[in-house]
């Protein structure tokens, strides 16, 4: 009997939870949708008025039962009356939209009190959706505007300083990512020059820079991968080595490596081509195919790299794996490639990681000897064709996943005829085809400094996606420098 009662209790709790979930989800979607509509239509538009009425009716029911109706954002999570809003696949874009509106105005929470009138709600929604606020103190500015309108049953609270600090940090992260990236290129240049003059390479600086890259990757992986679109034609090896270092750290992180291992991996990737210092420039930059003899010289950069590292004055500070990576980063998973191993049948994991990042960065970079520079997705397709021969199949899956279907930095054309650059990939499988993109032309092809849009955004009226990628394009053909767009973000 007791057992039966318990079961009934649990069942009724479950059904209560379902009702609450449904109710909260509905008010959240209706509220976001009304805001969206307010941005499209005039304040007296019938569609907008209808939407406000629905929100008002829902709100009244809740206010009758619970005496308050509060939307609150905390740690990138939306709460309604202290219950976390769990959203389904289709409502995710509403969440993104709403959180963005809260952030712009630095609003932490919005409370509606029981005597709220429909007209008041309508005016509030319209203001919240459309009012441009002073950038210096957006919250105070917006609060004043509401007061002036005589809206007294809607109470705002400012975003918590911690949350605000986290938002500010995102900007700072981008700025320091850019700084660290260029410092790394300069440091590598200096290291190569010092090596030529048989001076000490400042390995402590190398470790500090790579440590910063490791930290920045855990804060903003997308932006770091975006920076690897920087391809300086004249200083290929420097730029390439820094790109490979960043990509290897991102890749290693996805493979679950510890921070200390990521640091060693990054340092190894950073110096993987140090042996190229011995290769004559006319071979490095030769237009067209290398002769057999030239190829032999080129292939020596792996051995020569190891020789250089061993005689470094600071060799004891160098992770031992750097030697493996320098020697093995052109070896194939099936042990062909170069240099040939006669007895060893095992390639170090770090070497396999660097091999993939090296290949990817190299085929996507314009070089005098390469007729066709691949786009980032073409490079992944080519790598997948080489799965099991040149590349380790299980590692390649993780790599392909990291780069994405539409890799960060891809130039794409949308179904709206706008051109855009992919700026942020989604880790959820369901959204792989819907990354965030920055619009760079309008629908008739005029260049614009457009906004960053999320391709999961839907039109609230038609419930169809606003934009969809039609196909990816080769930026070289359109004379577009992808790296400029990433650098502009970190001004
Ligand atoms: Fe190499
Ligand atoms: Fe390389």
């Amino acid at each position: 009997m007791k057992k039966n009662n318990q079961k009934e209790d649990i069942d009724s709790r479950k059904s209560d939870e379902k009702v609450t979930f449904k109710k909260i989800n509905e008010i959240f979607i209706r509220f976001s949708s009304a805001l969206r509509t307010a941005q499209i239509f005039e304040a007296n538009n019938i569609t907008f008025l209808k939407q406000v009425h629905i929100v008002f009716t829902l709100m009244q029911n809740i206010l009758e039962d619970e005496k308050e109706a509060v939307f609150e954002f905390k740690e990138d999570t939306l709460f309604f009356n202290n219950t976390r809003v769990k959203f389904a696949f289709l409502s995710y874009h509403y969440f993104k939209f709403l959180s963005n509106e809260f952030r712009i105005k630095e609003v932490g929470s919005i409370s509606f009190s029981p005597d709220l009138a429909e007209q008041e709600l309508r005016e509030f929604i319209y203001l919240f959706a459309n009012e441009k606020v002073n950038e210096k103190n957006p919250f105070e500015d917006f609060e004043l505007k509401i007061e002036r309108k005589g809206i007294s049953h809607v109470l705002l609270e400012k975003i918590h300083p911690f949350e605000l600090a986290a938002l500010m940090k995102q900007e700072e992260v981008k700025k320091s990512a850019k700084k660290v990236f260029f410092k790394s290129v300069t440091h590598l240049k200096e290291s190569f020059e010092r090596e030529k003059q048989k001076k000490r390479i400042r390995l402590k600086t190398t470790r500090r820079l790579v440590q910063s890259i490791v930290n920045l990757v855990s804060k903003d992986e997308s932006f770091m991968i975006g920076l690897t679109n920087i391809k300086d034609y004249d200083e290929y090896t420097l730029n390439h080595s820094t790109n490979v270092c960043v990509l290897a750290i991102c890749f290693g992180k996805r493979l679950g490596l510890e921070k200390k291992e990521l640091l060693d991996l990054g340092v190894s990737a950073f110096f993987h081509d140090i042996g190229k210092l011995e290769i004559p420039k006319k071979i490095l930059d030769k237009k067209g195919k290398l002769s057999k003899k030239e190829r032999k010289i080129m292939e020596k950069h792996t051995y020569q790299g190891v020789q250089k590292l061993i005689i470094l004055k600071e060799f004891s500070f160098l992770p031992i794996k750097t030697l493996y990576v320098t020697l093995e980063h052109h070896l194939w998973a099936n042990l062909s490639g170069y240099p040939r191993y006669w007895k060893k049948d095992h390639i170090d994991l770090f070497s396999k990681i660097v091999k993939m990042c090296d290949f990817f960065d190299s085929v996507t970079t314009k070089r005098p000897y390469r007729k066709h520079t691949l786009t980032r997705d073409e490079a992944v397709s080519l790598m997948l064709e080489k799965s099991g021969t040149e590349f380790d199949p299980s590692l390649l899956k993780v790599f392909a996943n990291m780069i994405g279907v539409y890799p960060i930095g891809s130039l794409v054309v949308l179904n709206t005829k706008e051109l855009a650059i992919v700026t942020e990939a989604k880790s959820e499988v369901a959204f792989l085809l819907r990354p965030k993109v920055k619009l760079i032309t309008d629908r008739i092809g005029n260049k614009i400094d457009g906004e960053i849009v999320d391709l999961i955004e839907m039109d609230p009226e038609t419930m169809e996606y606003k934009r969809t990628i039609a196909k990816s394009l080769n930026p070289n053909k359109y004379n577009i420098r992808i790296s400029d767009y990433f650098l502009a973000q970190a001004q």
Side-chain angles (χ1 to χ4, degrees), residues 320-471:
I320 196 74
K321 295 254 190 172
T322 312
L323 299 183
Y324 291 134
V325 169
T326 307
L327 189 66
E328 296 178 340
H329 71 272
H330 288 285
L331 257 184
W332 289 23
N334 65 4
L335 290 171
S336 55
Y338 65 92
R340 279 292 171 93
Y341 273 159
W342 297 106
K343 291 204 171 133
K344 201 176 171 219
D345 59 2
H346 167 78
I347 306 174
D348 192 83
L349 172 68
F350 281 20
S351 307
K352 290 180 180 170
I353 293 175
V354 172
K355 156 93 185 135
M356 273 178 212
C357 303
D358 173 80
F359 184 94
F360 178 77
D361 186 69
S362 138
V363 296
T364 52
T365 308
K366 202 171 167 187
R367 300 289 293 135
Y369 48 81
R370 193 168 292 119
K371 272 192 199 141
H372 177 57
T373 314
L374 300 187
T375 62
R376 291 163 89 83
D377 54 324
E378 281 170 347
V380 175
S381 305
L382 176 64
M383 289 170 81
L384 289 169
E385 279 171 29
K386 292 164 176 281
S387 175
T389 50
E390 189 160 349
F391 303 109
D392 180 305
S394 44
L395 287 180
L396 186 58
K397 269 186 203 158
V398 182
F399 185 80
N401 206 287
M402 174 178 94
I403 300 298
V405 183
Y406 294 112
I408 293 163
S410 299
L411 176 68
V412 291
V413 58
L414 307 176
N415 60 343
T416 51
K417 303 221 167 61
E418 294 157 300
L419 289 190
I421 290 172
V422 176
T423 56
E424 201 180 310
K426 303 265 162 58
S427 51
E428 304 94 328
V429 180
F431 300 128
L432 278 182
L433 300 176
R434 305 206 159 270
K436 276 191 186 174
V437 300
K438 179 179 170 64
L439 302 175
I440 60 164
T441 74
D442 62 15
R443 288 162 196 240
I444 47 170
N446 298 316
K447 279 199 175 178
I448 53 163
D449 180 17
E451 51 177 336
I452 292 181
V453 294
D454 197 330
L455 295 184
I456 56 171
E457 274 180 25
M458 283 183 158
D459 185 321
E461 287 298 291
T462 59
M463 286 307 279
E464 279 176 8
Y465 287 114
K466 281 180 145 188
R467 295 177 173 90
T468 299
I469 294 176
K471 65 172 183 171

Side-chain angles (χ1 to χ4, degrees), residues 225 228 243-251 357 360-361 402-403:
I225 295 183
T228 65
N243 288 347
V244 173
C245 169
V246 171
L247 290 169
I249 291 171
C250 295
F251 189 12
C357 303
F360 178 77
D361 186 69
M402 174 178 94
I403 300 298

Side-chain angles (χ1 to χ4, degrees), residues 2 44 57 143 190 233 334 373 399 407 428 459:
K2 207 178 167 190
N44 56 1
T57 315
E143 204 178 32
E190 191 204 33
Y233 191 60
N334 65 4
T373 314
F399 185 80
E428 304 94 328
D459 185 321

